[in-house]
Amino acid sequence: KMSKYNFSKSISIEKKIVSNETPCFIIGEAGVNHNGNFDNAIKLIDIAVASGVDAVKFQHFSADEIILKSVEMADYQKANLGTKNSQHSMLQKLELNIEQLKALKDYTESKGLIFICTPFDVKSFRELESIDVSCYKVSSSDFTNLEILKMIAETNKPIILSSGMSNLDEIDQVIDFLEPINKNIILLHCTTNYPTQPSEVNLLTMKTLADRYYIQVGFSDHTESVGASPYSIGLGANLVEKHFTIDKTMEGPDHVASLDPLELKAFVESIKYAEQILGTNDK
């Protein structure tokens, strides 16, 4: 049947192609697991290289730009951190500046991996543009932030778009808004809970998204351990991302729900195993 949407069936992220015909694109999400420390960020890149992922992803934000000083932390952050600071003070400690991110990008590329980043505010997006980031990830929290989506879309760079906290009406509106501007979009199914319980994953939703928008889909996985991602491959995930850390016992909001270095390796192997056993649809 015909679709009103005309998204790219093949998307180049630097030297890799994301499509139904190519191996699943695997992102190791370093996120804020460097705890604001540059040396930790370098260690995370080395772990990513050793694991066999295709790309490593960081986040760029300014606490002053995105959050009021009075906002409380989310429940999972309080539980994972065991403290009750404000969101602002927690996030401020996790910032990296653009010079540090540029150095991390250069280091990532020197190791043969792709550097991806999520901007959380306009200032951070403009800074990332200045260092020529080749692909943007949009967090679930900004899925309906049309101002920043429009800016990112107008670069015509590939966008990895996480739909974690949105219902189908909201996704309809955002896809209708973006499709005329940028065709290079991969839409991720995601449950915004860290860690996600098996009963909350609803992987079949990914097929709903693919069928509804004729778009490439993937999975942002917050389940524990290797978790749900290998199962997503058989349902058509062309891209998966998973948080990883140097050590799960480090202090910070996301370490507990992240993979350690050995688990990240097992994660990549399990996805490649899933692809192998799926094979082709020829009898």
Side-chain angles (χ1 to χ4, degrees):
K1 72 183 197 217
M2 293 296 292
S3 165
K4 67 174 180 171
Y5 301 112
N6 186 28
F7 287 105
S8 304
K9 299 286 175 272
S10 176
I11 295 173
S12 299
I13 302 179
E14 287 183 24
K15 58 188 180 296
K16 294 276 181 182
I17 304 282
V18 183
S19 73
N20 292 343
E21 276 70 55
T22 48
C24 180
F25 187 93
I26 307 173
I27 300 173
E29 159 71 302
V32 293
N33 283 344
H34 46 71
N35 287 0
N37 177 302
F38 181 79
D39 293 339
N40 283 345
I42 291 285
K43 272 187 206 155
L44 285 163
I45 294 167
D46 289 337
I47 290 166
V49 171
S51 72
V53 297
D54 297 297
V56 63
K57 187 176 91 62
F58 288 92
Q59 301 177 2
H60 189 34
F61 55 86
S62 157
D64 289 344
E65 293 279 322
I66 60 173
I67 200 139
L68 297 170
K69 292 196 167 59
S70 57
V71 176
E72 282 190 29
M73 293 196 299
D75 289 342
Y76 81 84
Q77 292 167 338
K78 287 179 192 168
N80 292 353
L81 277 168
T83 58
K84 289 192 176 179
N85 294 337
S86 70
Q87 273 269 11
H88 184 278
S89 69
M90 177 191 77
L91 287 175
Q92 206 160 33
K93 293 190 191 92
L94 302 174
E95 286 179 20
L96 292 174
N97 64 41
I98 195 64
E99 290 75 24
Q100 290 173 311
L101 282 163
K102 169 81 171 90
L104 293 174
K105 176 177 182 280
D106 292 346
Y107 185 72
T108 301
E109 289 167 355
S110 77
K111 296 287 184 180
L113 289 195
I114 294 166
F115 178 91
I116 293 173
C117 201
T118 299
F120 283 88
D121 56 83
V122 171
K123 176 171 168 272
S124 297
F125 163 68
R126 292 204 170 111
E127 288 183 346
L128 290 174
E129 273 294 278
S130 77
I131 65 167
D132 202 27
V133 171
S134 60
C135 173
Y136 288 108
K137 158 84 196 292
V138 177
S139 146
S140 296
S141 56
D142 279 316
F143 188 84
T144 54
N145 183 347
L146 298 185
E147 178 191 25
I148 207 159
L149 283 176
K150 183 169 191 279
M151 286 179 161
I152 293 172
E154 282 173 346
T155 66
N156 212 34
K157 294 173 181 176
I159 303 172
I160 301 160
L161 186 59
S162 206
S163 63
M165 294 184 289
S166 303
N167 59 37
L168 279 178
D169 284 346
E170 289 168 323
I171 301 174
D172 284 348
Q173 287 172 36
V174 169
I175 293 295
D176 286 346
F177 175 78
L178 287 176
E179 197 261 359
I181 312 172
N182 190 324
K183 306 281 191 267
N184 300 309
I185 297 176
I186 301 149
L187 182 62
L188 302 190
H189 172 56
C190 167
T191 305
T192 306
N193 203 1
Y194 305 81
T196 302
Q197 299 308 313
S199 60
E200 300 173 321
V201 178
N202 291 322
L203 265 187
L204 288 169
T205 307
M206 204 173 57
K207 286 187 78 67
T208 304
L209 300 177
D211 293 345
R212 191 176 180 96
Y213 306 113
Y214 277 61
I215 195 169
Q216 290 198 61
V217 292
F219 179 47
S220 181
D221 185 3
H222 302 139
T223 55
E224 287 185 279
S225 185
V226 167
S229 283
Y231 302 95
S232 74
I233 306 303
L235 296 172
N238 291 351
L239 182 152
V240 298
E241 68 163 12
K242 187 92 165 175
H243 282 266
F244 72 102
T245 183
I246 300 164
D247 180 348
K248 290 188 198 202
T249 62
M250 287 170 76
E251 191 179 314
D254 293 341
H255 296 288
V256 172
S258 301
L259 302 182
D260 67 24
L262 285 175
E263 287 175 321
L264 186 64
K265 228 178 160 105
F267 177 77
V268 173
E269 284 165 6
S270 67
I271 286 167
K272 301 211 181 297
Y273 177 73
E275 289 179 321
Q276 200 180 347
I277 58 174
L278 284 164
T280 73
N281 51 17
D282 296 330
K283 176 63 180 159

